[in-house]
């Protein structure tokens, strides 16, 4: 009896938790969190725009790939197919930049390319290429 299934499950749990934290944020807790408390509470901040969330996810996984941890399929990382395409392009460019100019330059490129490419993907709101975009 092996532990391969347990290892794969554990490997998927970390990214799932990261995505959950990035997406859900924190809510109110305690006795004053009912409907009456909501009326007097300050409004919650706006949701993170999809292009910024995309850039965060792409940047995170790009750094993981540069560290040699590689990356799996887009679903295990909580990405759409369009975001995964961006990830692969960013990682390829960052690896070349790292060889040419070092790690810091590669990280700057990751951040810039992730922002630029995700902004393009979401320029008209959510992508319209279907649920996998």
């Amino acid at each position: 009896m092996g532990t391969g299934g347990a290892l794969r499950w554990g490997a998927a749990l970390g990214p799932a938790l990261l995505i959950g934290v990035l997406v859900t944020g924190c809510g109110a807790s305690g006795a004053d969190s009912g409907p009456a408390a909501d009326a007097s509470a300050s409004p919650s901040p706006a949701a993170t725009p999809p292009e910024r969330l995309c850039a965060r996810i792409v940047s995170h996984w790009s750094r993981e790939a540069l560290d040699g941890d590689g990356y799996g399929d887009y679903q295990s990382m909580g990405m759409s197919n369009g975001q995964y395409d961006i990830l692969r392009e960013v990682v390829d460019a960052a690896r070349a930049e790292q060889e040419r100019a070092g790690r810091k330059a590669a990280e700057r490129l990751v951040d810039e390319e992730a922002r630029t490419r995700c902004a393009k993907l979401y320029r008209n709101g959510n992508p319209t290429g279907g649920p996998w975009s």
Side-chain angles (χ1 to χ4, degrees), residues 100-111:
R100 189 184 71 73
R103 176 66 183 221
K104 294 250 186 232
E107 288 181 356
R108 282 191 298 272
L109 182 136
V110 162
D111 291 336

Side-chain angles (χ1 to χ4, degrees), residues 58 109 115 128:
V58 169
L109 182 136
R115 268 193 311 273
T128 57

Side-chain angles (χ1 to χ4, degrees), residues 23 44-50 52:
V23 172
S44 63
T48 303
R52 286 185 44 207

Side-chain angles (χ1 to χ4, degrees), residues 61-68 91 94-95 98 103 106-107 110:
W61 287 110
S62 295
R63 283 180 172 78
E64 291 286 320
L66 287 176
D67 287 340
V91 168
R95 283 183 177 146
Q98 184 168 316
R103 176 66 183 221
E107 288 181 356
V110 162

Side-chain angles (χ1 to χ4, degrees), residues 7-21 60-61 76-77:
L7 291 176
R8 278 180 261 146
W9 171 250
L13 184 58
L17 290 174
L18 172 66
I19 299 304
V21 168
H60 168 79
W61 287 110
S76 70
M77 293 184 285

Side-chain angles (χ1 to χ4, degrees), residues 17-78:
L17 290 174
L18 172 66
I19 299 304
V21 168
L22 289 173
V23 172
T24 61
C26 298
S29 63
D32 294 335
S33 61
D38 290 340
S40 64
S42 62
S44 63
T48 303
E51 65 274 10
R52 286 185 44 207
L53 184 57
C54 169
R56 284 184 196 171
I57 294 169
V58 169
S59 292
H60 168 79
W61 287 110
S62 295
R63 283 180 172 78
E64 291 286 320
L66 287 176
D67 287 340
D69 295 337
Y71 45 93
D73 65 83
Y74 67 95
Q75 292 171 333
S76 70
M77 293 184 285

